[in-house]
Amino acid sequence: NGVMSGLMQMLLLKVSAHITEQLGMAPGGEFREAFKEASKVPFCKFHLGDRPIPVTFKRAIAALSFWQKVKLAWGLCFLSDPISKDDVEKCKQKDLLEQMMAEMIGEFPDLHRTIVSERDVYLTYMLKQAAKQIELPRASEAEPRQYIPSVVVGVVGMGHVPGIEKNWNSDLNIQEIMSVPPPSASSKIFRFVVKATVFGLMGYGCYRIAQRTVRFILSTPAAQSYLQRLTEVRPQ
């Protein structure tokens, strides 16, 4: 998925591991439970309705400036704030949750737009598609169409509920939020510099290792004896 996207995924896995260590449970447990319960219901279809992660990551990275990327990566690298189960319960309060979201918007508005607001639209669209009425099979073309309401249970993160409620009665188009913008000139330059630095360091490391290896081999008695014989043979 690209260097920056891969690094961001690694950092978010680190955050997930931090939360798991603090709470004794992994994030996303509600989705695993939803899958277990859905498998118990006859004829129940289980659908993963969130936007693909690569699209979200690439749009999020493209929306951030270079210094915002550095600041975000630094914050994720050195995340050490303690988290308790009481903190999780507090997050379920609507007022406190909205306050936390507002703080996030203030610091990274573009990140909030791509990771939260755009996914609110996508999740709403997918839920509305799933909630359409189901047409019953007909014996012939002349028979009138009959529909029954579909029964849908949507399991989403708490932070997406206000956005889904807000977008529910709107005409939604997800084409725009599914496109990945081309990388900017600064992003291309940064990627080239990073790759050049990495390969340069690898090349220099290989050179130093090879140099030491050759020196070590030449310093052995067997190699010294062989070289001495070569020097004696050359004049002859």
Side-chain angles (χ1 to χ4, degrees):
N1 294 326
V3 176
M4 292 301 298
S5 183
L7 288 173
M8 192 63 68
Q9 288 191 43
M10 287 172 64
L11 289 173
L12 290 176
L13 283 172
K14 179 182 181 297
V15 174
S16 175
H18 172 70
I19 295 171
T20 304
E21 184 181 2
Q22 294 283 321
L23 299 178
M25 59 178 130
E30 63 272 36
F31 304 118
R32 284 186 286 274
E33 287 301 318
F35 177 76
K36 289 178 185 177
E37 293 302 317
S39 62
K40 298 176 184 177
V41 180
F43 308 108
C44 179
K45 294 181 180 180
F46 185 84
H47 182 65
L48 298 172
D50 203 350
R51 185 170 64 177
I53 290 176
V55 176
T56 299
F57 273 145
K58 288 178 181 178
R59 286 186 63 85
I61 291 167
L64 294 175
S65 67
F66 172 76
W67 293 113
Q68 283 180 320
K69 292 173 186 175
V70 172
K71 187 177 181 181
L72 178 64
W74 182 268
L76 293 176
C77 281
F78 296 96
L79 181 71
S80 58
D81 296 336
I83 304 168
S84 66
K85 292 185 179 181
D86 291 336
D87 294 331
V88 176
E89 292 301 320
K90 287 177 183 177
C91 290
K92 295 179 182 179
Q93 300 174 20
K94 187 176 180 182
D95 294 339
L96 186 59
L97 181 62
E98 289 178 353
Q99 180 185 341
M100 291 170 61
M101 298 295 281
E103 290 174 0
M104 181 183 171
I105 293 171
E107 194 167 1
F108 297 102
D110 294 324
L111 192 67
H112 180 273
R113 174 176 55 80
T114 53
I115 290 185
V116 180
S117 300
E118 289 182 0
R119 286 172 60 223
D120 289 345
V121 173
Y122 190 91
L123 289 166
T124 307
Y125 179 85
M126 298 304 286
L127 280 169
K128 289 179 75 171
Q129 292 297 311
K132 286 182 176 179
Q133 289 185 324
I134 301 170
E135 183 180 355
L136 294 175
R138 294 181 295 167
S140 65
E141 291 293 329
E143 188 178 341
R145 297 177 184 273
Q146 293 184 329
Y147 298 89
I148 58 171
S150 55
V151 179
V152 180
V153 177
V155 182
V156 299
M158 295 177 293
H160 292 292
V161 174
I164 292 172
E165 293 176 348
K166 176 184 174 183
N167 292 307
W168 189 259
N169 294 318
S170 304
D171 292 329
L172 304 174
N173 183 7
I174 63 170
Q175 295 301 320
E176 183 182 349
I177 62 173
M178 287 300 291
S179 62
V180 178
S184 62
S186 60
S187 177
K188 289 180 180 178
I189 293 171
F190 176 73
R191 256 192 291 179
F192 175 78
V193 170
V194 169
K195 287 182 180 179
T197 303
V198 170
F199 285 116
L201 289 172
M202 287 174 63
Y204 180 72
C206 291
Y207 166 74
R208 294 289 294 176
I209 292 170
Q211 190 180 41
R212 290 186 178 183
T213 304
V214 170
R215 284 179 182 174
F216 174 76
I217 292 172
L218 292 177
S219 65
T220 59
Q224 290 290 331
S225 175
Y226 180 73
L227 289 173
Q228 187 175 358
R229 268 187 276 173
L230 279 177
T231 56
E232 291 173 355
V233 168
R234 275 184 185 176
Q236 296 174 11

